Amino acid sequence: MGFFPSQLTRASLSSSLARRLRRPHPAAAAASAARSLTTTEGSRPSIVHKRSVDILHDPWFNKGTAFTVTERDRLDLRGLLPPNVMNSEQQIERFMFDLKRLEVNARDGARDTNSLAKWRILNRLHDRNEIMYYKVLSENIEEYAPIVYTPTVGLVCQNYSGLFRRPRGMYFSAEDRGEMMSMVYNWPADQVDMIVVTDGSRILGLGDLGIQGIGIAIGKLDLYVAAAGINPHRVLPVMIDVGTNNEKLLKDPLYLGLQQERLDGEEYLSVIDEFMRAVFTRWPNVIVQFEDFQSKWAFKLLQRYRNTYRMFNDDVQGTAGVAIAGLLGAVRAQGRPMIDFPKQKIVVAGAGSAGIGVLNAARKTMARLLGNNESAFESARSQFWVVDALGLITEDRSDIDPEALPFARKVREADRQGLREGANLVEVVKKVKPDVLLGLSAVGGLFSNEVLEALKDSTSTRPAIFAMSNPTKNAECTPEQAFTILGDHIIFASGSPFKNVDLEDGKIGHCNQGNNMYLFPGIGLGTLLSGARIISDGMLQAAAECLAAYMKEEEVLRGVIYPSISSIRDITKEVAAAVVKEAVEEDLAEGYRSMDARELKRLSQEEIVKYVQNNMWNPVYPTLVYKND
Ligand SMILES: NC(=O)C1=CN([C@@H]2O[C@H](COP(=O)(O)OP(=O)(O)OC[C@H]3O[C@@H](n4cnc5c(N)ncnc54)[C@H](O)[C@@H]3O)[C@@H](O)[C@H]2O)C=CC1
Ligand SMILES: CC(=O)C(=O)O
Ligand SMILES: [Mg+2]
């Protein structure tokens, strides 16, 4: 990721040094200024022999956010900086604000009081030396994933306008309409494999963070490099800035994004359409991961692009796959075969992009296990109870969200259970006695003691709790609460990492991390290496099944339903191989580099895994050779 300092040759460095040395000494400049009444050194233009990112990386010329719009156009900088142009006083104010916040920030982390300080140190390393950064991250993934990814990345996004030092990635704003097709050429890499794009409208469970949401795209791509071995020179974090509806940011003089309300409707769509056309024109083989778009647009954009472009929505599709793997694990943990999955009663709190994604995938998986026909699909529907901000969703609700409609309980059914439209979560859990309680609500503490007490009457021998909302403070409950109230026999998973819980008698309450990080890197890598033109449901299903099968029987029986993050590279390799295999079987694979479609078809399972492994980038210094051309 970033701007390839390694590509600066000794020649370009020494010529830039020579140019600087040719620049007049300040004393000589002062004398010359005195000779002229009209021109001072400050107002005289500087001759610059470089353009684009080379300027941003030259501390002599770099003005950061203070480059004016015309300068950005003249110097090929459009899109390489956040859109809000600042003057030098504002820049200093922003810097000082952040400097003075250091002590406060140190207390902000949920569990690690130094998390933001660690992020800063890692980020500075990322700016200085990419290979070393990724080596540190890969070799210490358990320790640093919570810093570059959830939960700390949430804190980073909340404070991004203050933390911003060097730009990373591209910014496409509403002001860039009509320019995007040329702007993409400001990015220095001729090959980009992976883009993670957000519009900042729903960052983790933290709401609309506007332009500051670029932190999540950067964090996800860090995992692409560390887990999937995508070459960091070929990843691109993108922020599409269509404004923000966050009142605080709209009023903040130090905010780096457009201070206007979000575009909506056709205007919004035209910006996203233009962005998609531009990136696929320059990089026809790129894969675009949509991340943290508010539900309102997440589904619409997925439907709009999924059959034309190589893209997927991680919150809808990645999360669904991870949840399915966990739900199947929870069935196995009860000592029951997976075929029993369609008998599970599942209460889902949250009907947004993530919740609905999980519900659709779980229903399809049940239907497949029941015979894969229409009646199986219909009967699977009755296994779910969905509670959103307004309570239990039934067909009695007016103005029901079309995505949630298939999961609305029939009024008669609800009546029979003593439930009604809008029933609260405690009532629903009491009446349904579910096997699984799954939270994707972004409401920290939603699984209150009362809800957990109600779950004691679950008909399952091993009730499962998935508190999947991020970051840590948004988790629906903590593992301590769950194990303390319900005992050691439960299955527990959370979206952000928690420590295992020490229980009495030396027993351990295992806390699984149920996060889409176990799938999205493998989905991206498998798509890239298969050369599939689109990402099909089958490819996503293959990824989920691979993750489910990764866990051994004895682990699952101990309550360990997701792997340890320390093996994420190995899991990702297997997931990517499963995606490649499925793409080949569905005749979607067109090959990658010298591996053409016909040859891909001839590979055995083992050879596919090897092929994937051989194409994963490793953080090792290459030998550098000077070439004078
Ligand atoms: N663990 C993981 O891999 C993932 C976790 N997430 C997390 O899921 C959460 C939700 O994400 P989205 O679905 O995109 O958000 P969203 O904002 O689209 O949906 C939130 C849903 O929760 C509902 N809700 C709000 N208050 C509620 C309450 N008191 N009781 C029940 N439901 C309530 C809302 O009505 C809405 O349906 C976020 O915290 C996000 O970080 C999202 C994707 C992946
Ligand atoms: C993990 C993730 O994608 C989210 O919380 O939005
Ligand atoms: Mg997300």
Side-chain angles (χ1 to χ4, degrees), residues 190-195 234 279-288 309-311 524 527-529 531-533 590-593:
D190 283 332
Q191 192 179 338
V192 171
D193 293 339
M194 248 353 278
I195 287 176
R234 300 198 209 123
V279 292
F280 279 93
T281 300
R282 180 161 185 209
W283 302 292
N285 295 321
V286 73
I287 299 156
V288 179
Y309 292 119
R310 274 172 136 188
M311 61 79 67
T527 305
L528 178 75
L529 297 182
R533 302 313 306 165
E590 294 187 4
Y592 174 72
R593 297 191 161 173

Side-chain angles (χ1 to χ4, degrees), residues 149 202 204 216 220 290-292 314-315 319 470 516:
Y149 189 51
R202 189 286 277 150
L204 304 174
I216 193 73
K220 292 264 175 182
F290 277 60
E291 191 67 45
D292 290 6
D314 183 36
D315 299 294
T319 314
N470 296 313
N516 51 28

Side-chain angles (χ1 to χ4, degrees), residues 149-150 202-205 216 220 289-293 314-316 319 353-354 440 468-471 495-496 513-517 520:
Y149 189 51
T150 185
R202 189 286 277 150
I203 296 298
L204 304 174
I216 193 73
K220 292 264 175 182
Q289 171 170 326
F290 277 60
E291 191 67 45
D292 290 6
F293 282 70
D314 183 36
D315 299 294
V316 179
T319 314
S353 67
L440 282 161
M468 292 182 78
S469 292
N470 296 313
S496 293
Q513 190 175 359
N515 191 293
N516 51 28
M517 70 185 180
F520 71 77

